[in-house]
Amino acid sequence: MTAKEYPSLRQFWRDIMWRGEVTDELELDVCATFAAAGDAHATYLLATAYATGRGGVLSEDVAARLMVRAMRMGHHDAFMWVRFARKSGRMR
């Protein structure tokens, strides 16, 4: 099972959640696949994973770049994250 077999992120999550097969590594792989295809929500989820260190990765710089990309795609939560990060000094 790969993310490329599914037409949307929502259908992929619905299928694997039903089976209980979610791991941090799988989440990162799926989000990266759909983010590369231009999915704003997947980009936001990938940025959140980098910001929190899920899956063994922790990078504020990568998270900030991904959040800005998700914000430009129109994801509201990414806009709020970027706004907070700029006001708090975590991001320039």
Side-chain angles (χ1 to χ4, degrees):
M1 167 182 56
T2 66
K4 294 176 184 173
E5 298 169 7
Y6 289 87
S8 73
L9 180 66
R10 179 171 295 195
Q11 288 176 334
F12 182 83
W13 283 128
R14 184 176 52 215
D15 190 34
I16 66 172
M17 291 279 198
W18 179 258
R19 291 186 265 171
E21 299 176 1
V22 181
T23 63
D24 286 340
E25 293 80 19
L26 178 62
E27 182 179 354
L28 287 173
D29 182 47
V30 169
C31 288
T33 300
F34 282 102
D39 188 305
H41 188 64
T43 305
Y44 171 76
L45 292 175
L46 187 61
T48 304
Y50 274 97
T52 59
R54 278 193 325 245
V57 295
L58 175 64
S59 175
E60 290 279 334
D61 293 336
V62 173
R65 283 194 302 259
L66 288 168
M67 281 295 183
V68 168
R69 185 184 309 162
M71 180 186 75
R72 289 182 178 152
M73 289 182 206
H75 198 281
H76 182 264
D77 291 341
F79 173 77
M80 299 305 290
W81 189 94
V82 169
R83 185 175 176 193
F84 172 77
R86 284 185 177 156
K87 282 187 174 184
S88 67
R90 291 172 56 195
M91 181 178 154
R92 296 179 190 194

